[in-house]
Amino acid sequence: MDLVNFAAAAVLGISGVGSAIGLMIAGSGAIGAWKKCFMNNKQAPGTMIVFAGAPLTQTLYGYLLMSFMTRNAGNAAKSPWLLFGMGLICSIAIAASAIAQGVASASAADALAETGEGGSKFLMVVGLCETVAIFVMAFCIIFLL
């Protein structure tokens, strides 16, 4: 049981680390893009805050998966080592999604600041990065059922 609890905690922690890294990248990109707008006396799009905060949701996915793992830890059909491995690998995938989303968001903020156009298209690409984390979380939960 301790191994499963450790795995569940690792899911939240590793997902959170990925979100923090993604937020750092996305936030830095948004700040740089706003600066570019201010220096050119252009209107700075407030919607860039969406890009800056996008990687935060992976922490939520880590929490949901952690919660589901701890509620289903007593399932005798699931080996603690299997749950540990699944938690570790799934949380790395969720974290990687957050980091990729941070990179995409930083690029999107820069492009939006420079052109003033394409925000919805950029948001779709950022959403694709999010989809990886959603799929990983959903498939892991299905596995636990």
Side-chain angles (χ1 to χ4, degrees):
M1 190 67 156
D2 288 336
L3 188 60
V4 174
N5 289 331
F6 177 79
V11 166
L12 178 61
I14 294 170
S15 297
V17 168
S19 283
I21 294 168
L23 288 166
M24 174 189 65
I25 295 165
S28 297
I31 289 168
W34 277 318
K35 180 188 91 173
K36 189 183 292 186
C37 288
F38 297 145
M39 290 178 63
N40 293 317
N41 293 322
K42 290 172 59 177
Q43 179 71 26
T47 56
M48 282 195 277
I49 197 70
V50 173
F51 296 132
L56 184 59
T57 55
Q58 278 81 346
T59 300
L60 174 64
Y61 304 142
Y63 171 77
L64 292 172
L65 185 55
M66 175 198 73
S67 177
F68 201 86
M69 285 177 74
T70 55
R71 280 187 275 132
N72 291 284
N75 185 347
K78 305 289 188 243
S79 158
W81 282 102
L82 178 64
L83 291 174
F84 174 75
M86 184 182 75
L88 186 63
I89 299 303
C90 289
S91 63
I92 291 170
I94 292 171
S97 168
I99 295 167
Q101 194 171 48
V103 172
S105 292
S107 296
D110 182 60
L112 184 60
E114 201 164 310
T115 66
E117 298 177 8
S120 60
K121 290 176 179 62
F122 302 150
L123 192 55
M124 285 190 279
V125 173
V126 170
L128 288 172
C129 298
E130 179 99 8
T131 304
V132 173
I134 294 170
F135 282 169
V136 167
M137 178 194 67
F139 295 154
C140 285
I141 288 173
I142 289 168
F143 176 79
L144 289 170
L145 294 175

